[in-house]
Amino acid sequence: MGKFFNWIGGDIYIPVLWQAPLLESDDKLPVLVMSHGIGGNRTTYSTFCCEIASHGFIVVVPEHRDGSASMTYLLKDNMRGTVVELLKDHECGLHRRHTMHKSHSFTEEWQSFEHTDPLGIQWDDYDYRNKQVHQRASECIRLLDVLTDINDGRSVRNFLGFHFSLKQFKGRMDMSKVAFAGHSFGGSTCVTTLGQDKRFKVGIMLDAWMHPLNEELCSKVTQPVLILNYEKFQWQKNVKQMSWLQSDDVDRTMLTLRGACHQAISDFQFIVGKAFGKLMEVRSDLSPKVAMDVNKRATLGFLSKHLGLDGLDSGNDVLTGSHKDVILGTTLDVT
């Protein structure tokens, strides 16, 4: 199927290297956690995440296990052994014992997308989605705990093996500059997480779906939040609920990307041609490259402003709505 999609005009490649080492530097790097939407997974936003990483961020993408991911799995140990090596120290001639755990085999524990019809509930059942968004938030908070352990040099199990050492991240993450971005359901996950954990300093809501939230949840958010909407997806009720985040004291900039569909942040818009992409509703008339450039510049500009980062694109024309494809506020009548 991949060859077929590529044949009809898509591009399935991104300029990255598998398990490339962290850039050697004395600098501490800011952190961005990215939460996927319904039917997404950890690779859905590779283009966006790699763009942000290329500007000096450590980008971390969880795969949610609330039933909203397209398909996800964990690796479970079947058997473990202990390997003890005697290493000779050539400087002093002594031997040191080095112990490591070696996994002999794994079992993949798969979890597929959870359809609501067999559960006897509506797709947009509030209680069901609200429960999911709280699980998603707890996963992101746990993720930040793990990142803190890695940054502090504590031992964390690495299922990718020893070729990609987590030790290279020790002391390299600036845990005072942690931000959260989320698309669609990930946008409401952003709100819930920011309300529960103030270690996340800034939020980026990318075409957020507000239905799983309520006014009380939104009132707990005290951090700056960028609300970037896509014109083809948003509707009156959803944008009205975004007013729950309005504040006179904290930056809550709302922008609308003209002509953009809901997938204007995902990889889907790149891997199919224009005609087929519009048929599948993963592309609109707006060029995917233009959409990604606006997403990138808006995100970097907002993070630069509120995390105190130097050397990044300020995105001033985007954040003020003077960019030709961006509107400050919304195109919808919410009066």
Side-chain angles (χ1 to χ4, degrees):
M1 290 300 294
K3 291 180 180 179
F4 171 72
F5 283 125
N6 198 35
W7 174 74
I8 60 176
D11 183 2
I12 59 172
Y13 297 100
I14 53 174
V16 297
L17 295 175
W18 171 245
Q19 295 195 16
L22 184 64
L23 181 70
E24 291 186 8
S25 170
D26 294 329
D27 297 333
K28 289 192 172 186
L29 304 172
V31 178
L32 179 70
V33 173
M34 175 70 184
S35 173
H36 66 75
I38 288 181
N41 56 57
R42 69 185 184 277
T43 65
T44 304
Y45 311 98
S46 299
T47 310
F48 174 74
C49 292
C50 291
E51 278 287 343
I52 302 303
S54 74
H55 288 271
F57 283 79
I58 292 177
V59 182
V60 191
V61 190
E63 202 162 66
H64 294 295
R65 293 185 59 83
D66 61 331
S68 66
S70 55
M71 183 71 81
T72 182
Y73 71 92
L74 292 176
L75 292 174
K76 295 287 188 179
D77 267 332
N78 286 339
M79 181 170 51
R80 288 196 305 175
T82 300
V83 178
V84 179
E85 294 180 307
L86 289 177
L87 303 177
K88 185 175 181 179
D89 189 321
H90 293 284
E91 291 186 3
C92 57
L94 300 177
H95 288 81
R96 294 181 290 106
R97 289 174 60 87
H98 175 67
T99 304
M100 64 180 179
H101 294 289
K102 181 179 180 181
S103 295
H104 295 278
S105 64
F106 296 105
T107 298
E108 295 178 358
E109 183 180 282
W110 285 88
Q111 180 179 0
S112 60
F113 180 78
E114 189 170 88
H115 294 275
T116 54
D117 289 345
L119 301 176
I121 59 176
Q122 295 293 319
W123 184 86
D124 59 351
D125 182 89
Y126 170 76
D127 291 332
Y128 173 69
R129 297 302 184 189
N130 182 258
K131 180 180 178 181
Q132 282 185 310
V133 82
H134 278 92
Q135 178 177 333
R136 285 165 146 258
S138 67
E139 289 170 347
C140 293
I141 291 169
R142 181 185 172 203
L143 172 59
L144 188 53
D145 291 338
V146 173
L147 293 177
T148 301
D149 286 343
I150 293 172
N151 195 58
D152 290 343
R154 299 189 186 96
S155 178
V156 174
R157 184 76 187 283
N158 180 12
F159 281 89
L160 290 177
F162 296 101
H163 296 294
F164 188 79
S165 174
L166 295 177
K167 292 180 180 179
Q168 63 185 309
F169 293 95
K170 180 181 178 180
R172 293 299 312 279
M173 289 180 270
D174 190 340
M175 303 309 290
S176 68
K177 296 179 179 178
V178 180
F180 194 112
H183 173 236
S184 193
F185 204 176
S188 51
T189 306
C190 173
V191 172
T192 308
T193 307
L194 263 61
Q196 294 181 11
D197 195 329
K198 303 306 176 183
R199 291 179 297 174
F200 292 94
K201 303 302 182 184
V202 186
I204 309 288
M205 298 169 64
L206 300 163
D207 215 24
W209 182 43
M210 297 294 291
H211 180 72
L213 303 175
N214 56 49
E215 194 167 359
E216 181 183 0
L217 274 176
C218 293
S219 68
K220 295 178 180 179
V221 179
T222 57
Q223 302 94 315
V225 177
L226 172 64
I227 305 169
L228 179 54
N229 294 331
Y230 305 150
E231 186 178 28
K232 298 285 187 180
F233 176 75
Q234 290 297 332
W235 65 101
Q236 189 181 56
K237 180 181 178 181
N238 200 58
V239 175
K240 275 188 173 181
Q241 290 175 328
M242 291 175 181
S243 66
W244 294 337
L245 290 164
Q246 286 182 349
S247 172
D248 296 328
D249 304 318
V250 186
D251 190 350
R252 300 287 165 79
T253 300
M254 179 188 288
L255 303 171
T256 300
L257 182 54
R258 293 178 185 268
C261 69
H262 194 47
Q263 299 299 333
I265 186 66
S266 78
D267 293 341
F268 296 126
Q269 60 184 328
F270 292 100
I271 63 174
V272 294
K274 185 175 181 179
F276 190 67
K278 292 179 74 173
L279 179 66
M280 297 294 292
E281 297 184 348
V282 297
R283 278 189 64 167
S284 61
D285 291 328
L286 184 67
S287 162
K289 291 184 178 180
V290 172
M292 192 57 64
D293 185 64
V294 171
N295 283 314
K296 176 194 71 175
R297 295 188 64 223
T299 299
L300 290 175
F302 200 78
L303 295 180
S304 175
K305 178 180 178 181
H306 292 288
L307 294 179
L309 303 173
D310 297 324
L312 294 178
D313 183 351
S314 67
N316 189 60
D317 58 329
V318 176
L319 294 177
T320 58
S322 57
H323 188 285
K324 66 181 182 64
D325 294 308
V326 177
I327 299 166
L328 187 62
T330 179
T331 57
L332 297 169
D333 181 6
V334 291
T335 60

